[in-house]
Amino acid sequence: EVQLVESGGGTVQPGGSLRLSCAASGFPFSMYAMSWARQAPGKGLEWVSAISSGGITSYADSVKGRFTISRDNAKNTLYLQMNSLKPEDTAVYYCAKYYGSAAVVGTTPTPTGQGTQVTVSS
């Protein structure tokens, strides 16, 4: 059974940083592309970033230059380093597994985890 457990969220002031983690199990993590997506209050799911099995990364324009996606295949863990956070980054953040080794830029599979709340507020 595929399990994805997000963690690392919290409340931070504008300009601050957070590092999200996604612990994966139940599938060969290194063979699959992964994504981060977020859902702000009252809005739909928004694709944020993706990384292929080979480490090729892509980002939404709204986070480019501020967020960095990475993966540690030895630990079966996906990360999202978020710097220069803005109030509009406030959302529940989810990780998701693509159906193959390549990411589909701009789209995300439906998340299956609980997500982790990120709140950016002064």
Side-chain angles (χ1 to χ4, degrees), residues 28-32 34 52-55 71-79:
F29 177 74
S30 65
M31 296 179 65
Y32 288 87
M34 300 291 295
S52 72
S53 63
R71 64 191 300 160
D72 186 336
N73 290 335
K75 295 183 179 180
N76 286 353
T77 302
L78 178 73
Y79 301 101

Side-chain angles (χ1 to χ4, degrees), residues 37-46 87-94 117-118:
R38 64 188 181 186
Q39 187 162 23
K43 296 188 177 181
L45 192 65
E46 176 191 15
E88 51 264 43
D89 294 319
T90 295
V92 178
Y93 283 71
Y94 301 92
Q117 175 71 49
V118 171

